[in-house]
Amino acid sequence: MLMLFFTLFTVNALASANTAPAEEVKHEYSEKSLGQLLESFYKTTGIYAFTNPSDDVMTSEAHAEDARPMTTFEQTWGRLIMIAICLFLFYLAIAKGFEPLLLMPIAFGGILANIPLAGIGGETGMLGIIYNMGIANGFFPLLIFMGVGAMTDFTPLLANPKSAILGGAAQFGIFGSLVGAVALGFDLQSASAISIIGGADGPTSIFIANRLAPELLGAIAVAAYSYMALVPVIQPPIMKALTTEAERKIKMPKLRKVNKLENLTLPIVILLLAILFLPESTPLIGAFCLGNFFKQSGAVERLSDTMQNSLINIVTIFLGLGVGSKLAADKFLVLETLGIMIIGLIAFAAGTAAGVIMAKVMNKFSSEENRINPLIGAAGVSAVPMAARVVSKVGQEYDKSNVLLMHAMGPNVAGVIGSAVAAGVLLSIF
């Protein structure tokens, strides 16, 4: 055995010795003066990159084959403008408290994406890897929906089922933006992908854009998450403009007590209905119902707690950075992206207004003791629980004893389901 081993080892060694060695590429070092070394260093600084644009600088893309030469404006003022915008987002998140969990990672990702020379948003850069890992394939939105489901309480919706009508009315923004996108020249399939922005539902927007218009995914993701984060800025003026002070002070009756069996049954019923009528929506609705069912069962508290905290926090960081990578000047400061942002803003405002108006219409057919505070109609958009918190805050500006949070959660939860159903309808058409 030893002799056999020695023989084989000797043969392999001889074979290796006879193999022609690969040619080594040696880097030739040329001596440089101190001035030349300083000049080389200066040309690798951001100052030089900002002030001396070059024709051979390529955009940083998650897929290298999509790269194109950057324009002079994108390399200089464009980057500086985007960095300033990201700093403003930091101000809104930190000083004003506008959804820092979303704005902070998005804004930081935007700054990283606009750093010259580093290529952080490229295929092998940190942001590019994150984008390909979970946004380009639609995986992160499903994990977010799972966590949202685990944090969602269906009690307000079950206690007041008619609040689902308000969630449905707010979806007017989705179909309104569909018409607006077509009017601006987008084809019907791309317009369908853009339209979900009207519901202020970031995960659903990414999911449907990945299926219908992958080339618009970055712009749609930025628009959807921007409006989700800016709910406290956009919604209050619309809510106040469409309601009177007396309407804002309406106190709604206390919600009835909902038993555990009702809460446990609802996610299964929603999932079964999706399976029967809109299978295309089941990835989103299925992930949402999974998280909610685990929570309501009470049998897997560790798993439910992980979904509500660790999992959704980690995914939020990655998702925010990935979305922020599309705040690069060469991707954001283009007519197509700006058009999508404008469509999204108008649609989101329309969805908010539709929810408030529907609540006012419902009051025409309600008794005095069962009147609805029209403010909760604004919570029908899918930004959960942000929209519900905004409703509660605006209501307490006029009557500190008027707690609307739980009442607003009914249409808010209905809005999440409604946007997923709308996405399923659009996917099934194509």
Side-chain angles (χ1 to χ4, degrees):
M1 295 269 307
L2 287 172
M3 290 297 294
L4 179 62
F5 174 77
F6 180 76
T7 302
L8 292 173
F9 178 80
T10 304
V11 170
N12 287 334
L14 289 172
S16 300
N18 292 328
T19 303
E23 291 186 10
E24 293 184 7
V25 178
K26 293 184 179 180
H27 177 70
E28 294 292 336
Y29 172 73
S30 58
E31 299 230 357
K32 293 183 178 180
S33 65
L34 180 60
Q36 289 174 321
L37 290 174
L38 290 175
E39 183 182 0
S40 297
F41 171 75
Y42 173 62
K43 288 183 177 179
T44 63
T45 62
I47 297 173
Y48 182 84
F50 283 127
T51 57
N52 295 274
S54 173
D55 294 335
D56 59 356
V57 175
M58 305 296 287
T59 58
S60 294
E61 304 290 348
H63 299 288
E65 63 272 14
D66 297 330
R68 62 166 177 81
M70 291 185 71
T71 66
T72 299
F73 173 77
E74 291 168 348
Q75 293 180 56
T76 55
W77 287 107
R79 281 173 169 161
L80 294 174
I81 289 171
M82 291 310 303
I83 290 174
I85 289 173
C86 292
L87 293 176
F88 178 67
L89 294 180
F90 281 146
Y91 168 75
L92 293 179
I94 298 170
K96 297 296 183 180
F98 291 163
E99 299 306 327
L101 293 179
L102 283 177
L103 281 187
M104 291 285 283
I106 290 174
F108 211 97
I111 289 180
L112 293 178
N114 285 284
I115 296 175
L117 306 176
I120 300 177
E123 191 170 20
T124 58
M126 181 182 75
L127 297 183
I129 292 171
I130 291 173
Y131 187 84
N132 288 328
M133 180 174 66
I135 296 180
N137 56 18
F139 181 52
F140 285 165
L142 299 181
L143 294 180
I144 290 287
F145 252 64
M146 195 183 299
V148 170
M151 293 190 295
T152 298
D153 186 1
F154 278 123
T155 299
L157 182 60
L158 289 166
N160 186 16
K162 65 183 180 182
S163 63
I165 299 174
L166 301 177
Q171 305 312 309
F172 173 80
I174 292 177
F175 296 99
S177 62
L178 175 62
V179 175
V182 171
L184 284 180
F186 290 96
D187 62 73
L188 188 57
Q189 187 164 322
S190 297
S192 297
I194 295 169
S195 66
I196 302 297
I197 301 172
D201 190 338
T204 304
S205 297
I206 292 175
F207 181 79
I208 192 171
N210 187 55
R211 299 279 294 274
L212 296 182
E215 70 281 2
L216 299 177
L217 179 56
I220 289 172
V222 168
Y225 274 96
S226 296
Y227 296 133
M228 282 181 67
L230 295 176
V231 163
V233 179
I234 299 170
Q235 283 199 317
I238 299 170
M239 295 157 64
K240 293 174 183 178
L242 295 176
T243 57
T244 64
E245 186 171 342
E247 287 176 324
R248 294 174 215 138
K249 291 182 177 180
I250 293 176
K251 289 189 176 182
M252 297 178 65
K254 186 178 178 181
L255 296 171
R256 72 173 180 87
K257 187 175 181 180
V258 176
N259 62 53
K260 182 177 179 179
L261 183 60
E262 289 178 274
N263 271 318
L264 192 60
T265 303
L266 186 58
I268 298 299
V269 171
I270 292 172
L271 181 58
L272 290 175
L273 289 173
I275 292 170
L276 292 174
F277 298 103
L278 281 174
E280 292 279 4
S281 69
T282 49
L284 288 169
I285 290 180
F288 181 81
C289 291
L290 183 154
N292 190 260
F293 187 72
F294 277 25
K295 172 190 177 181
Q296 298 299 342
S297 70
V300 284
E301 291 185 8
R302 285 173 54 192
L303 299 183
S304 176
D305 181 68
T306 298
M307 292 179 193
Q308 294 179 51
N309 297 287
S310 304
L311 179 63
I312 199 167
N313 288 339
I314 291 170
V315 177
T316 298
I317 293 171
F318 286 151
L319 186 62
L321 289 172
V323 170
S325 71
K326 299 305 176 183
L327 287 178
D330 55 274
K331 298 173 183 64
F332 190 84
L333 298 178
V334 294
L335 288 177
E336 190 175 67
T337 302
L338 296 176
I340 290 173
M341 293 291 291
I342 293 171
I343 292 171
L345 176 59
I346 296 173
F348 180 50
T352 300
V356 173
I357 293 170
M358 178 57 75
K360 292 166 69 79
V361 171
M362 290 172 68
N363 276 342
K364 299 292 183 182
F365 304 95
S366 302
S367 60
E368 186 66 25
E369 61 274 10
N370 289 317
R371 287 193 306 160
I372 298 171
N373 189 312
L375 293 178
I376 72 168
V381 297
S382 304
V384 59
M386 292 166 277
R389 290 204 300 261
V390 170
V391 166
S392 181
K393 183 179 178 181
V394 173
Q396 290 192 320
E397 288 178 10
Y398 298 90
D399 184 349
K400 292 191 178 298
S401 65
N402 193 7
V403 181
L404 295 173
L405 182 61
M406 291 306 292
H407 295 286
M409 282 303 298
N412 209 184
V413 172
V416 174
I417 298 171
S419 66
V421 169
V425 170
L426 294 172
L427 287 173
S428 63
I429 292 173
F430 296 101

